[in-house]
Amino acid sequence: TLLCELLARDPTNRPLMKWEGLNSIPPPETATFTTDERIAAEVEKQLAIYSMVPRLKAVHWEPGDGPTECVALLTQSFRAQDWYGLFRVPSYLEWFHACDMQRAYDYHRLSLQVLGSHAPGRWSLKAPGHLLALDALRATYPDARIVVLHRDPAKAVASSTSLSASSHPE
């Protein structure tokens, strides 16, 4: 997350912003990229979510006007690990691990093309879930530079479990 935030500060990079990842149409315009009305709406929505599930804010703070994981685009194709984290449906997990992720990455690429059509830039993206489909990721973006950071597995599992548990209201 820290690396994603740092890369987003480089003006030559184009991160996926939370507000545009969740509300992509119409695509953003360069001239109004920092003033688009969807930004304030997403900030308000995030604050409402954190007021309903306060422990989520402590575990996974993500401002509505900041960069987000591009898994937001994969979820729109219903092929993302996030669905299992939000809804415990064992048959989905089995299906997800066996599904063809290329369709999801085709959609991901199309989404980025639409989003960048009026607000171009060099994409700087983040989603740990890409590790589950590196073959589809590399087939879709053969020129991508992939950075994999090491994290202590015990801490990563604890963090993921905490996030999943915090995603549900008490």
Side-chain angles (χ1 to χ4, degrees), residues 1-81:
T1 301
L2 177 60
L3 180 58
C4 179
E5 294 280 343
L6 287 172
L7 290 172
R9 300 213 183 275
D10 181 341
T12 63
N13 289 334
R14 167 82 160 81
L16 178 67
M17 303 303 280
K18 187 160 187 78
W19 62 270
E20 68 174 328
L22 299 175
N23 194 354
S24 304
I25 303 297
E29 303 275 342
T30 299
T32 57
F33 195 78
T34 59
T35 59
D36 191 296
E37 64 187 32
R38 293 172 285 187
I39 299 170
E42 189 59 37
V43 167
E44 188 175 317
K45 184 172 87 175
Q46 277 300 113
L47 293 175
I49 290 169
Y50 290 137
S51 72
M52 291 186 296
V53 189
R55 66 180 183 229
L56 182 59
K57 183 177 181 179
V59 173
H60 189 68
W61 165 251
E62 189 175 56
D65 59 350
T68 193
E69 292 183 4
C70 62
V71 72
L73 303 177
L74 294 174
T75 59
Q76 294 170 24
S77 70
F78 293 100
R79 293 169 190 259
Q81 78 280 3

Side-chain angles (χ1 to χ4, degrees), residues 117-149:
S117 63
H118 301 310
R122 179 181 65 194
W123 288 105
S124 172
L125 305 171
K126 172 199 175 200
H130 288 313
L131 291 174
L132 299 173
L134 281 175
D135 55 341
L137 177 72
R138 295 296 295 168
T140 307
Y141 304 109
D143 58 342
R145 293 182 185 165
I146 300 172
V147 177
V148 179
L149 301 176

